[in-house]
Coordinates of all heavy atoms in Angstrom, one line a residue:
M1 N -13.2 8.6 2.1 CA -11.9 9.1 2.2 C -11.8 10.6 2.3 O -10.8 11.2 2.6 CB -11.1 8.7 1.0 CG -11.0 7.2 0.8 SD -10.3 6.4 2.3 CE -8.7 5.8 1.7
A2 N -13.0 11.3 2.2 CA -13.0 12.8 2.2 C -12.6 13.3 3.6 O -12.1 14.4 3.7 CB -14.4 13.3 1.9
F3 N -12.8 12.5 4.7 CA -12.4 12.9 6.0 C -11.0 12.8 6.3 O -10.5 13.3 7.4 CB -13.2 12.1 7.1 CG -12.9 10.6 7.1 CD1 -12.0 10.1 7.9 CD2 -13.6 9.8 6.2 CE1 -11.6 8.8 8.0 CE2 -13.3 8.4 6.2 CZ -12.3 7.9 7.1
L4 N -10.2 12.2 5.4 CA -8.7 12.1 5.7 C -7.9 13.3 5.2 O -8.3 13.9 4.2 CB -8.2 10.8 5.0 CG -8.8 9.5 5.5 CD1 -8.3 8.4 4.6 CD2 -8.4 9.3 6.9
E5 N -6.9 13.6 6.0 CA -5.9 14.6 5.6 C -4.6 14.0 5.5 O -4.3 13.0 6.0 CB -5.9 15.7 6.7 CG -7.3 16.4 6.8 CD -7.2 17.4 8.0 OE1 -6.1 17.7 8.5 OE2 -8.3 17.9 8.4
E6 N -3.7 14.7 4.8 CA -2.3 14.3 4.7 C -1.7 14.0 6.0 O -1.8 14.9 6.9 CB -1.5 15.3 3.9 CG 0.0 14.8 3.6 CD 0.8 15.8 2.8 OE1 0.2 16.6 2.1 OE2 2.0 15.7 2.9
G7 N -1.1 12.9 6.2 CA -0.4 12.5 7.5 C -1.3 11.8 8.4 O -0.8 11.3 9.4
D8 N -2.6 11.6 8.1 CA -3.5 10.8 9.0 C -3.1 9.4 8.9 O -2.7 8.8 7.9 CB -5.0 10.9 8.5 CG -5.6 12.3 8.9 OD1 -5.0 13.0 9.7 OD2 -6.7 12.6 8.4
L9 N -3.2 8.7 10.1 CA -2.9 7.3 10.2 C -4.2 6.5 10.2 O -5.1 6.9 11.0 CB -2.1 7.0 11.5 CG -1.6 5.6 11.7 CD1 -0.5 5.3 10.6 CD2 -0.9 5.5 13.0
I10 N -4.3 5.5 9.3 CA -5.6 4.7 9.3 C -5.2 3.3 9.5 O -4.1 2.8 9.2 CB -6.3 4.9 8.0 CG1 -5.5 4.5 6.8 CG2 -6.9 6.3 7.8 CD1 -6.2 4.4 5.5
Q11 N -6.1 2.5 10.0 CA -6.0 1.1 10.2 C -7.0 0.4 9.4 O -8.2 0.8 9.4 CB -6.1 0.8 11.7 CG -6.0 -0.7 12.0 CD -6.2 -1.0 13.5 OE1 -5.6 -0.3 14.3 NE2 -7.0 -2.0 13.8
F12 N -6.7 -0.7 8.7 CA -7.6 -1.4 7.9 C -7.2 -2.8 7.8 O -6.1 -3.2 8.1 CB -7.8 -0.7 6.6 CG -6.6 -0.6 5.8 CD1 -6.2 -1.7 4.9 CD2 -5.8 0.5 5.8 CE1 -5.0 -1.6 4.2 CE2 -4.6 0.6 5.1 CZ -4.2 -0.4 4.3
T13 N -8.1 -3.7 7.2 CA -7.8 -5.0 6.9 C -7.9 -5.2 5.4 O -8.9 -4.6 4.8 CB -8.8 -6.0 7.6 OG1 -8.7 -5.8 9.0 CG2 -8.5 -7.4 7.3
A14 N -7.0 -5.9 4.8 CA -7.0 -6.1 3.3 C -6.2 -7.3 2.9 O -5.3 -7.7 3.7 CB -6.5 -4.8 2.6
L15 N -6.5 -7.8 1.8 CA -5.7 -8.8 1.2 C -4.6 -8.2 0.3 O -4.9 -7.2 -0.5 CB -6.5 -9.8 0.3 CG -7.6 -10.6 1.1 CD1 -8.5 -11.3 0.1 CD2 -6.9 -11.5 2.0
V16 N -3.4 -8.6 0.4 CA -2.3 -8.1 -0.5 C -2.1 -9.0 -1.6 O -2.0 -10.2 -1.4 CB -1.0 -7.9 0.4 CG1 0.1 -7.4 -0.5 CG2 -1.3 -7.0 1.6
Y17 N -2.0 -8.4 -2.8 CA -1.7 -9.3 -4.0 C -0.5 -8.7 -4.7 O -0.2 -7.5 -4.7 CB -2.9 -9.4 -4.9 CG -3.4 -8.1 -5.5 CD1 -2.9 -7.8 -6.8 CD2 -4.3 -7.3 -4.9 CE1 -3.3 -6.6 -7.4 CE2 -4.7 -6.1 -5.5 CZ -4.2 -5.8 -6.7 OH -4.6 -4.6 -7.3
E18 N 0.2 -9.6 -5.5 CA 1.4 -9.2 -6.2 C 1.0 -9.3 -7.7 O 0.2 -10.2 -8.1 CB 2.4 -10.3 -5.9 CG 3.7 -10.1 -6.6 CD 4.7 -11.2 -6.2 OE1 5.3 -11.1 -5.1 OE2 4.9 -12.1 -6.9
Y19 N 1.5 -8.3 -8.5 CA 1.2 -8.3 -9.9 C 2.4 -7.8 -10.7 O 3.3 -7.1 -10.1 CB -0.1 -7.5 -10.2 CG 0.0 -6.0 -10.0 CD1 0.3 -5.2 -11.0 CD2 -0.2 -5.5 -8.7 CE1 0.4 -3.8 -10.8 CE2 -0.2 -4.2 -8.5 CZ 0.1 -3.3 -9.5 OH 0.2 -2.0 -9.3
V20 N 2.5 -8.1 -12.0 CA 3.5 -7.6 -12.8 C 3.1 -6.3 -13.5 O 2.0 -6.3 -14.1 CB 3.9 -8.7 -13.9 CG1 5.0 -8.2 -14.8 CG2 4.3 -10.0 -13.2
K21 N 3.9 -5.3 -13.4 CA 3.5 -4.0 -14.0 C 4.7 -3.6 -15.0 O 5.8 -4.1 -14.9 CB 3.3 -2.9 -13.0 CG 4.6 -2.4 -12.3 CD 4.3 -1.2 -11.5 CE 5.5 -0.6 -11.0 NZ 5.3 0.7 -10.3
G22 N 4.4 -2.7 -15.9 CA 5.3 -2.3 -16.9 C 4.9 -2.4 -18.3 O 3.9 -3.1 -18.6
Y23 N 5.6 -1.8 -19.2 CA 5.3 -1.9 -20.6 C 5.8 -3.2 -21.2 O 7.0 -3.6 -21.1 CB 5.9 -0.7 -21.4 CG 5.6 -0.7 -22.8 CD1 4.4 -0.4 -23.3 CD2 6.6 -1.0 -23.7 CE1 4.1 -0.3 -24.7 CE2 6.4 -1.0 -25.1 CZ 5.1 -0.6 -25.6 OH 4.9 -0.6 -26.9
K24 N 4.9 -3.9 -21.9 CA 5.3 -5.2 -22.5 C 5.3 -5.2 -24.0 O 5.4 -6.3 -24.6 CB 4.3 -6.3 -22.0 CG 4.3 -6.5 -20.5 CD 3.2 -7.4 -20.0 CE 3.2 -7.5 -18.5 NZ 2.3 -6.6 -17.9
G25 N 5.2 -4.0 -24.6 CA 5.2 -3.9 -26.0 C 6.5 -3.9 -26.7 O 7.5 -4.3 -26.0
E26 N 6.6 -3.5 -27.9 CA 7.8 -3.6 -28.7 C 8.6 -2.3 -28.7 O 9.8 -2.3 -29.2 CB 7.5 -4.0 -30.1 CG 6.9 -5.4 -30.2 CD 7.8 -6.5 -29.7 OE1 9.0 -6.4 -29.9 OE2 7.3 -7.4 -29.0
D27 N 8.1 -1.2 -28.3 CA 8.7 0.1 -28.4 C 9.8 0.2 -27.3 O 9.6 0.2 -26.1 CB 7.7 1.2 -28.1 CG 8.3 2.6 -28.3 OD1 9.5 2.8 -28.1 OD2 7.5 3.5 -28.7
P28 N 11.1 0.3 -27.8 CA 12.3 0.2 -26.9 C 12.3 1.4 -25.9 O 12.7 1.3 -24.7 CB 13.5 0.2 -27.7 CG 13.1 0.3 -29.1 CD 11.6 0.3 -29.2
E29 N 11.9 2.6 -26.3 CA 11.8 3.8 -25.5 C 10.8 3.6 -24.3 O 11.1 3.9 -23.2 CB 11.5 5.0 -26.3 CG 12.7 5.6 -27.0 CD 12.4 6.9 -27.7 OE1 11.7 7.7 -27.1 OE2 12.9 7.2 -28.8
L30 N 9.7 3.1 -24.7 CA 8.6 2.8 -23.6 C 9.1 1.7 -22.7 O 8.8 1.8 -21.5 CB 7.3 2.5 -24.3 CG 6.5 3.7 -24.9 CD1 5.3 3.2 -25.6 CD2 6.2 4.7 -23.8
R31 N 9.8 0.7 -23.2 CA 10.3 -0.4 -22.4 C 11.3 0.2 -21.4 O 11.3 -0.3 -20.2 CB 10.9 -1.4 -23.2 CG 10.0 -2.5 -23.6 CD 10.7 -3.7 -24.3 NE 9.7 -4.6 -24.6 CZ 9.8 -5.9 -24.2 NH1 10.7 -6.3 -23.5 NH2 8.8 -6.7 -24.6
M32 N 12.1 1.1 -21.8 CA 13.1 1.7 -20.9 C 12.5 2.6 -19.8 O 12.9 2.7 -18.7 CB 14.2 2.5 -21.7 CG 15.0 1.6 -22.5 SD 16.0 0.4 -21.6 CE 17.2 1.5 -20.9
S33 N 11.4 3.4 -20.2 CA 10.8 4.3 -19.3 C 9.8 3.6 -18.4 O 9.5 4.2 -17.3 CB 10.1 5.4 -20.1 OG 9.0 4.9 -20.8
R34 N 9.3 2.5 -18.8 CA 8.3 1.7 -17.9 C 8.8 0.3 -17.8 O 8.1 -0.6 -18.4 CB 6.9 1.8 -18.5 CG 6.4 3.2 -18.6 CD 5.0 3.2 -19.2 NE 4.7 4.6 -19.6 CZ 4.1 4.9 -20.7 NH1 3.7 4.0 -21.5 NH2 3.8 6.2 -20.9
P35 N 9.8 0.0 -17.1 CA 10.4 -1.4 -17.0 C 9.4 -2.3 -16.3 O 8.6 -1.9 -15.5 CB 11.7 -1.2 -16.2 CG 11.5 0.0 -15.4 CD 10.6 0.9 -16.3
I36 N 9.5 -3.6 -16.7 CA 8.6 -4.6 -16.1 C 9.2 -4.9 -14.7 O 10.4 -5.0 -14.5 CB 8.6 -5.9 -17.0 CG1 7.9 -5.6 -18.3 CG2 7.9 -7.0 -16.2 CD1 7.9 -6.7 -19.3
G37 N 8.3 -5.0 -13.8 CA 8.6 -5.2 -12.4 C 7.5 -5.7 -11.6 O 6.3 -5.8 -12.1
I38 N 7.7 -6.1 -10.3 CA 6.7 -6.6 -9.4 C 6.2 -5.4 -8.6 O 7.0 -4.6 -8.1 CB 7.3 -7.7 -8.5 CG1 7.8 -8.9 -9.3 CG2 6.2 -8.2 -7.5 CD1 6.8 -9.6 -10.1
D39 N 4.9 -5.4 -8.4 CA 4.3 -4.4 -7.6 C 3.2 -5.1 -6.7 O 2.9 -6.2 -6.9 CB 3.6 -3.3 -8.4 CG 3.5 -2.0 -7.6 OD1 3.8 -2.0 -6.4 OD2 3.1 -0.9 -8.2
Y40 N 2.7 -4.3 -5.8 CA 1.7 -4.9 -4.8 C 0.5 -4.0 -4.8 O 0.6 -2.8 -4.9 CB 2.3 -5.1 -3.4 CG 3.5 -5.9 -3.4 CD1 4.8 -5.4 -3.6 CD2 3.4 -7.3 -3.3 CE1 5.9 -6.3 -3.7 CE2 4.5 -8.2 -3.3 CZ 5.7 -7.6 -3.5 OH 6.8 -8.5 -3.6
G41 N -0.7 -4.6 -4.6 CA -1.9 -3.9 -4.4 C -2.7 -4.5 -3.3 O -2.4 -5.5 -2.7
L42 N -3.8 -3.8 -3.0 CA -4.7 -4.2 -1.9 C -6.1 -4.6 -2.5 O -6.6 -3.9 -3.4 CB -4.9 -3.1 -0.9 CG -3.6 -2.6 -0.2 CD1 -4.0 -1.4 0.7 CD2 -3.0 -3.7 0.6
W43 N -6.6 -5.6 -2.0 CA -7.9 -6.1 -2.4 C -8.8 -6.3 -1.2 O -8.3 -6.7 -0.1 CB -7.8 -7.4 -3.2 CG -9.0 -8.0 -3.7 CD1 -9.8 -7.5 -4.8 CD2 -9.7 -9.1 -3.3 NE1 -10.9 -8.3 -5.0 CE2 -10.8 -9.3 -4.1 CE3 -9.4 -10.0 -2.3 CZ2 -11.7 -10.3 -3.9 CZ3 -10.3 -11.1 -2.1 CH2 -11.4 -11.2 -2.9
D44 N -10.1 -6.1 -1.3 CA -11.0 -6.3 -0.3 C -10.7 -5.5 1.0 O -10.6 -6.0 2.1 CB -11.1 -7.8 0.0 CG -12.4 -8.1 0.9 OD1 -13.3 -7.4 0.9 OD2 -12.3 -9.2 1.6
V45 N -10.4 -4.2 0.8 CA -10.1 -3.3 1.9 C -11.4 -3.1 2.8 O -12.4 -2.8 2.2 CB -9.6 -2.0 1.4 CG1 -9.3 -1.0 2.6 CG2 -8.3 -2.2 0.6
R46 N -11.3 -3.3 4.1 CA -12.5 -3.2 4.9 C -12.0 -2.8 6.3 O -10.9 -2.8 6.7 CB -13.3 -4.4 5.0 CG -12.5 -5.7 5.4 CD -13.4 -6.9 5.2 NE -12.6 -7.9 4.6 CZ -12.6 -9.2 5.0 NH1 -13.4 -9.5 6.0 NH2 -11.8 -10.0 4.5
D47 N -13.0 -2.5 7.1 CA -12.8 -2.1 8.6 C -11.8 -0.9 8.7 O -11.0 -0.9 9.6 CB -12.3 -3.3 9.4 CG -13.2 -4.5 9.3 OD1 -14.4 -4.3 9.2 OD2 -12.7 -5.6 9.3
A48 N -11.9 0.0 7.8 CA -11.0 1.2 7.8 C -11.4 2.1 8.9 O -12.6 2.5 9.0 CB -10.9 1.9 6.5
I49 N -10.5 2.5 9.8 CA -10.8 3.5 10.8 C -9.6 4.5 10.9 O -8.5 4.1 10.7 CB -11.1 2.9 12.2 CG1 -9.9 2.1 12.7 CG2 -12.3 2.1 12.2 CD1 -10.0 1.6 14.1
K50 N -9.9 5.7 11.2 CA -8.9 6.8 11.4 C -8.5 6.7 12.8 O -9.3 6.7 13.7 CB -9.5 8.1 11.0 CG -8.5 9.2 11.2 CD -9.1 10.6 10.8 CE -8.3 11.7 11.2 NZ -8.9 13.0 10.9
L51 N -7.2 6.5 13.1 CA -6.7 6.4 14.4 C -6.5 7.9 15.0 O -6.1 8.8 14.3 CB -5.4 5.7 14.5 CG -5.4 4.3 14.0 CD1 -4.0 3.7 14.0 CD2 -6.4 3.4 14.8
N52 N -6.9 8.1 16.2 CA -6.8 9.4 16.8 C -5.4 9.6 17.3 O -5.0 9.1 18.3 CB -7.8 9.5 18.0 CG -9.2 9.5 17.5 OD1 -9.5 9.9 16.4 ND2 -10.1 8.9 18.3
I53 N -4.7 10.4 16.6 CA -3.3 10.7 16.9 C -3.2 12.2 17.1 O -3.6 13.0 16.2 CB -2.3 10.2 15.8 CG1 -2.3 8.7 15.8 CG2 -0.9 10.7 16.1 CD1 -1.4 8.1 14.8
S54 N -2.6 12.6 18.2 CA -2.5 14.1 18.5 C -1.5 14.7 17.4 O -0.5 14.2 17.1 CB -1.9 14.3 19.9 OG -1.5 15.6 20.1
K55 N -1.9 15.9 16.9 CA -1.1 16.6 16.0 C 0.2 17.1 16.6 O 1.2 17.3 16.0 CB -1.9 17.8 15.3 CG -3.0 17.3 14.5 CD -2.7 17.2 13.1 CE -3.9 16.9 12.3 NZ -3.7 16.5 11.0
E56 N 0.1 17.3 18.0 CA 1.3 17.8 18.7 C 2.3 16.8 18.9 O 3.5 17.1 19.0 CB 0.8 18.4 20.1 CG -0.2 19.5 20.0 CD -0.8 19.8 21.3 OE1 -0.4 19.2 22.3 OE2 -1.8 20.6 21.3
R57 N 2.0 15.5 19.1 CA 2.9 14.5 19.3 C 2.6 13.2 18.5 O 2.1 12.2 19.0 CB 2.9 14.1 20.8 CG 4.0 13.2 21.2 CD 3.9 12.9 22.7 NE 4.6 11.6 22.9 CZ 4.1 10.7 23.7 NH1 3.0 10.9 24.4 NH2 4.7 9.6 23.9
P58 N 2.8 13.3 17.1 CA 2.5 12.2 16.3 C 3.4 11.0 16.5 O 4.6 11.1 16.8 CB 2.7 12.7 14.9 CG 3.7 13.8 15.0 CD 3.4 14.4 16.4
R59 N 2.8 9.8 16.5 CA 3.5 8.6 16.6 C 4.0 8.1 15.2 O 3.2 8.2 14.3 CB 2.7 7.5 17.3 CG 2.5 7.8 18.8 CD 1.6 6.7 19.3 NE 0.2 7.3 19.3 CZ -0.9 6.6 19.4 NH1 -0.8 5.3 19.5 NH2 -2.0 7.1 19.4
P60 N 5.2 7.6 15.1 CA 5.6 7.1 13.8 C 4.8 5.8 13.4 O 4.6 5.0 14.3 CB 7.1 6.8 13.9 CG 7.3 6.6 15.4 CD 6.2 7.4 16.1
P61 N 4.4 5.7 12.1 CA 3.7 4.4 11.7 C 4.6 3.2 11.7 O 5.8 3.4 11.5 CB 3.2 4.8 10.3 CG 4.1 5.8 9.9 CD 4.6 6.6 11.1
V62 N 4.1 2.1 11.9 CA 4.9 0.8 11.8 C 4.5 0.2 10.5 O 3.4 -0.2 10.3 CB 4.5 -0.1 13.0 CG1 5.3 -1.4 12.9 CG2 4.8 0.6 14.3
F63 N 5.5 0.0 9.6 CA 5.3 -0.6 8.3 C 5.7 -2.1 8.4 O 6.9 -2.4 8.8 CB 6.1 0.1 7.3 CG 5.6 1.6 7.1 CD1 6.4 2.6 7.6 CD2 4.4 1.9 6.4 CE1 6.0 3.9 7.5 CE2 4.0 3.2 6.3 CZ 4.8 4.2 6.8
P64 N 4.9 -3.0 7.9 CA 5.4 -4.4 7.7 C 6.4 -4.5 6.6 O 6.3 -3.7 5.6 CB 4.1 -5.1 7.4 CG 3.2 -4.1 6.8 CD 3.5 -2.8 7.4
S65 N 7.3 -5.4 6.7 CA 8.3 -5.6 5.7 C 7.6 -6.3 4.5 O 6.6 -6.9 4.6 CB 9.4 -6.5 6.2 OG 9.0 -7.8 6.5
V66 N 8.3 -6.2 3.3 CA 7.8 -6.9 2.1 C 7.7 -8.4 2.3 O 6.8 -9.0 1.9 CB 8.7 -6.5 0.9 CG1 8.2 -7.3 -0.3 CG2 8.5 -5.0 0.6
D67 N 8.7 -8.9 3.0 CA 8.8 -10.4 3.3 C 7.5 -10.8 4.1 O 6.9 -11.8 3.9 CB 10.0 -10.8 4.0 CG 11.3 -10.7 3.1 OD1 11.1 -10.8 1.9 OD2 12.4 -10.5 3.6
E68 N 7.2 -10.0 5.1 CA 6.0 -10.3 5.9 C 4.7 -10.2 5.1 O 3.8 -11.0 5.2 CB 5.9 -9.3 7.1 CG 4.8 -9.5 8.0 CD 4.7 -8.5 9.2 OE1 5.7 -7.8 9.4 OE2 3.7 -8.5 9.8
L69 N 4.6 -9.2 4.2 CA 3.5 -9.1 3.3 C 3.4 -10.3 2.4 O 2.3 -10.9 2.2 CB 3.6 -7.8 2.5 CG 3.4 -6.5 3.2 CD1 3.6 -5.4 2.2 CD2 2.1 -6.4 3.9
K70 N 4.5 -10.8 1.9 CA 4.5 -11.9 1.0 C 4.1 -13.2 1.8 O 3.3 -14.0 1.3 CB 5.8 -12.2 0.4 CG 6.2 -11.2 -0.7 CD 7.5 -11.6 -1.3 CE 7.9 -10.7 -2.5 NZ 9.2 -11.1 -3.0
K71 N 4.6 -13.3 3.0 CA 4.3 -14.5 3.8 C 2.8 -14.5 4.2 O 2.2 -15.6 4.1 CB 5.2 -14.5 5.0 CG 5.0 -15.7 5.9 CD 6.0 -15.7 7.1 CE 5.5 -14.6 8.1 NZ 6.3 -14.5 9.3
N72 N 2.3 -13.4 4.8 CA 1.0 -13.4 5.3 C -0.1 -13.2 4.3 O -1.3 -13.5 4.5 CB 0.9 -12.4 6.5 CG 1.8 -12.8 7.6 OD1 2.1 -13.9 7.8 ND2 2.3 -11.7 8.3
K73 N 0.2 -12.4 3.3 CA -0.8 -12.0 2.3 C -1.9 -11.2 2.9 O -2.9 -10.9 2.3 CB -1.4 -13.2 1.5 CG -0.4 -14.0 0.8 CD 0.1 -13.2 -0.4 CE 1.0 -14.2 -1.2 NZ 1.7 -13.5 -2.3
R74 N -1.7 -10.7 4.2 CA -2.7 -9.9 4.8 C -1.9 -8.9 5.7 O -0.9 -9.2 6.2 CB -3.6 -10.7 5.8 CG -4.7 -11.5 5.2 CD -5.4 -12.3 6.2 NE -6.8 -12.1 6.4 CZ -7.8 -11.7 5.6 NH1 -7.5 -11.4 4.4 NH2 -9.0 -11.6 6.0
I75 N -2.5 -7.7 5.8 CA -1.9 -6.7 6.6 C -3.0 -6.1 7.5 O -4.2 -6.1 7.2 CB -1.1 -5.6 5.9 CG1 -2.1 -4.8 4.9 CG2 0.1 -6.1 5.2 CD1 -1.4 -3.6 4.3
N76 N -2.6 -5.5 8.6 CA -3.6 -4.9 9.5 C -3.3 -3.4 9.8 O -3.8 -2.9 10.7 CB -3.6 -5.7 10.8 CG -4.9 -6.4 11.1 OD1 -5.8 -6.2 10.3 ND2 -5.0 -7.1 12.1
A77 N -2.5 -2.8 9.0 CA -2.2 -1.4 9.1 C -2.0 -0.7 7.8 O -1.5 -1.4 6.9 CB -1.0 -1.2 10.0
G78 N -2.2 0.6 7.7 CA -2.0 1.3 6.5 C -1.8 2.8 6.8 O -2.2 3.2 7.8
V79 N -1.3 3.5 5.8 CA -1.0 4.9 6.0 C -1.5 5.6 4.8 O -1.3 5.2 3.7 CB 0.5 5.2 6.2 CG1 0.7 6.7 6.3 CG2 1.0 4.5 7.4
C80 N -2.2 6.7 5.0 CA -2.7 7.6 3.9 C -1.8 8.8 3.9 O -1.8 9.6 4.9 CB -4.2 8.0 4.2 SG -4.8 9.1 2.9
L81 N -1.1 9.0 2.8 CA -0.2 10.2 2.7 C -0.7 11.1 1.7 O -1.4 10.8 0.8 CB 1.2 9.8 2.4 CG 1.9 8.9 3.4 CD1 3.2 8.5 2.9 CD2 2.0 9.6 4.7

């Protein structure tokens, strides 16, 4: 990842998984500051390549919707910010 800079567009293959995050203890202040919710992560990331995009005319990245991620459990694009 050392060759990446902010704004670089990368393409990769990975499995998307869903998990529960947040504080599950008894402290009410921590429960309010870290509420329980659903988040997503990537597993088995491979075939990562940096796409050659001109700095003068960058193309906007295409992001899959959350519904598409849930349905397919796989994505073929990613962005490093």
Side-chain angles (χ1 to χ4, degrees):
M1 300 303 249
F3 63 92
L4 295 175
E5 298 175 12
E6 183 176 339
D8 284 346
L9 187 63
I10 59 171
Q11 177 179 317
F12 58 89
T13 301
L15 296 172
V16 178
Y17 64 93
E18 182 179 279
Y19 66 96
V20 178
K21 72 172 190 173
Y23 179 73
K24 299 174 184 94
E26 299 299 321
D27 187 331
E29 283 188 33
L30 286 175
R31 272 189 178 234
M32 293 298 288
S33 66
R34 299 180 194 140
I36 294 175
I38 302 294
D39 204 353
Y40 300 90
L42 299 174
W43 181 73
D44 194 24
V45 177
R46 56 188 137 134
D47 305 324
I49 59 170
K50 180 178 172 182
L51 300 178
N52 294 328
I53 294 180
S54 169
K55 297 267 184 191
E56 298 168 8
R57 189 176 156 224
R59 288 178 264 161
V62 177
F63 297 102
S65 68
V66 173
D67 291 333
E68 183 181 343
L69 292 176
K70 285 182 178 180
K71 181 179 76 177
N72 296 331
K73 299 292 185 187
R74 281 179 119 32
I75 60 173
N76 245 355
V79 175
C80 178
L81 299 176

